[in-house]
Amino acid sequence: METDSERCEKEQAQMEKVAMSFEKAMKGIGTDENRIIREVVAYNNKQRQLIKSKYLVLTGKEIEEDLKSEIGGFFLEAVLALFTPVDEYEASILHKAFEGIGTNEQKIIEILCTKSSEEIRQVKDAYRRLYKTELEVDLKNEQGGDLGRLFRSLASGGRRENHGYDKDFIEKETQNLYDAGEGKTGTDEKEFVRILSSRSFAELSAIFVLYKESFENDLEQAIKDEFSGDLCEALLTIGNLNFLYNTYNF
């Protein structure tokens, strides 16, 4: 049986081969773009970081710089994005969402509404490292109202991370959501934001299931009836049942 040490050595050796394959693709006249595509998509982001370091050690050059000298356009952008650590890439997407006139709420939703607390903390660390400011500060400057409150709550990284749940607690929070929406005239937006931004994905999965069992509409429909625009989309993204089921197998 292969040991962890042996697997690590084998991976190191493989990444060296891949690094040299990249060099071969960019050596001489012309560029073997098919080889670049084949190699860059064959490995995950963590492995690509190892390929980058091996390339630097073996060639004395940054792989990104060689790529920039050999390819261009959208192809270059895509390859460089794949070589960027995930947390740094997502931090850059968030930063770009604040640039120019207005804010690209869709990009913020795509990142903040789908992350665990640990993933949020990693993105925040990368944001601070790259842009010398806090993500929450930029969010506060760009977004107000209930959507801004939701974004800042998510960016705090305070979502519970437990994989189990207490049945009585789930019943209480499910009723709280009903009482904040369908069970009253008007909508208590703060209550929806509080629950959907702070409860673990395991708890949210159980809440969505119980809501459907307990009331006429499922929670997804209730959100559509009570909210609109970007806030509606953000809440639906958090509560996407396919995401919750795929993550926690409920």
Side-chain angles (χ1 to χ4, degrees):
M1 183 176 178
E2 192 175 50
T3 66
D4 290 342
S5 177
E6 289 172 335
R7 280 194 294 271
C8 182
E9 289 181 6
K10 183 182 292 186
E11 183 178 44
Q12 293 280 339
Q14 178 61 24
M15 295 306 102
E16 286 189 4
K17 291 180 181 179
V18 176
M20 296 313 297
S21 179
F22 272 102
E23 185 192 39
K24 184 176 181 179
M26 295 183 282
K27 192 173 183 179
I29 299 174
T31 305
D32 188 344
E33 295 184 351
N34 288 330
R35 180 189 287 266
I36 291 175
I37 294 171
R38 184 171 66 249
E39 298 290 21
V40 79
V41 301
Y43 301 95
N44 61 37
N45 191 269
K46 183 178 179 180
Q47 290 170 320
R48 286 193 287 270
Q49 304 317 306
L50 185 55
I51 292 168
K52 284 171 56 176
S53 66
K54 292 295 184 184
Y55 191 93
L56 178 60
V57 169
L58 295 170
T59 70
K61 298 178 290 183
E62 299 281 355
I63 193 170
E64 294 94 335
E65 295 306 312
D66 279 356
L67 286 166
K68 289 175 184 177
S69 69
E70 296 290 333
I71 59 177
F74 292 124
F75 181 40
L76 174 62
E77 289 182 19
V79 174
L80 291 180
L82 289 169
F83 269 111
T84 303
V86 173
D87 57 351
E88 292 186 5
Y89 177 74
E90 292 182 332
S92 73
I93 294 298
L94 288 170
H95 191 258
K96 289 177 182 177
F98 303 134
E99 293 179 343
I101 300 174
T103 304
N104 190 332
E105 288 84 0
Q106 298 299 313
K107 294 299 183 183
I108 300 175
I109 290 170
E110 289 173 12
I111 295 176
L112 292 186
C113 294
T114 60
K115 302 296 181 189
S116 67
S117 293
E118 177 57 30
E119 290 169 330
I120 290 288
R121 286 191 285 270
Q122 291 172 1
V123 172
K124 285 172 59 178
D125 288 344
Y127 196 93
R128 184 186 308 112
R129 187 168 63 251
L130 292 172
Y131 305 111
K132 312 305 179 186
T133 187
E134 298 294 333
L135 175 59
E136 292 99 319
V137 172
D138 284 350
L139 284 169
K140 184 176 181 180
N141 291 336
E142 293 289 333
Q143 282 293 331
D146 294 311
L147 182 61
R149 184 180 299 109
L150 174 64
F151 285 162
R152 291 190 294 276
S153 180
L154 292 170
S156 72
R159 184 183 296 284
R160 289 153 63 104
E161 297 182 309
N162 49 296
H163 289 264
Y165 59 86
D166 178 78
K167 183 178 178 181
D168 291 338
F169 178 77
I170 295 303
E171 290 177 352
K172 180 181 178 181
E173 291 290 65
T174 302
Q175 186 64 49
N176 286 338
L177 283 172
Y178 179 80
D179 292 343
E182 293 186 304
K184 64 175 293 185
T185 302
T187 307
D188 185 347
E189 293 87 353
K190 292 181 181 180
E191 188 71 350
F192 274 83
V193 168
R194 178 187 70 79
I195 294 174
L196 292 180
S197 66
S198 64
R199 300 308 170 221
S200 71
F201 288 125
E203 290 168 339
L204 288 179
S205 181
I207 288 170
F208 269 73
V209 170
L210 182 58
Y211 197 102
K212 185 175 183 178
E213 294 174 351
S214 303
F215 306 111
E216 182 177 352
N217 290 323
D218 60 29
L219 187 50
E220 181 178 4
Q221 186 58 52
I223 291 172
K224 291 178 180 178
D225 291 342
E226 298 292 328
F227 298 90
S228 61
D230 291 323
L231 180 56
C232 178
E233 183 174 347
L235 295 174
L236 289 175
T237 299
I238 294 171
N240 183 282
L241 283 178
N242 288 328
F243 172 71
L244 295 176
Y245 282 137
N246 290 340
T247 304
Y248 292 100
N249 297 313
F250 282 105

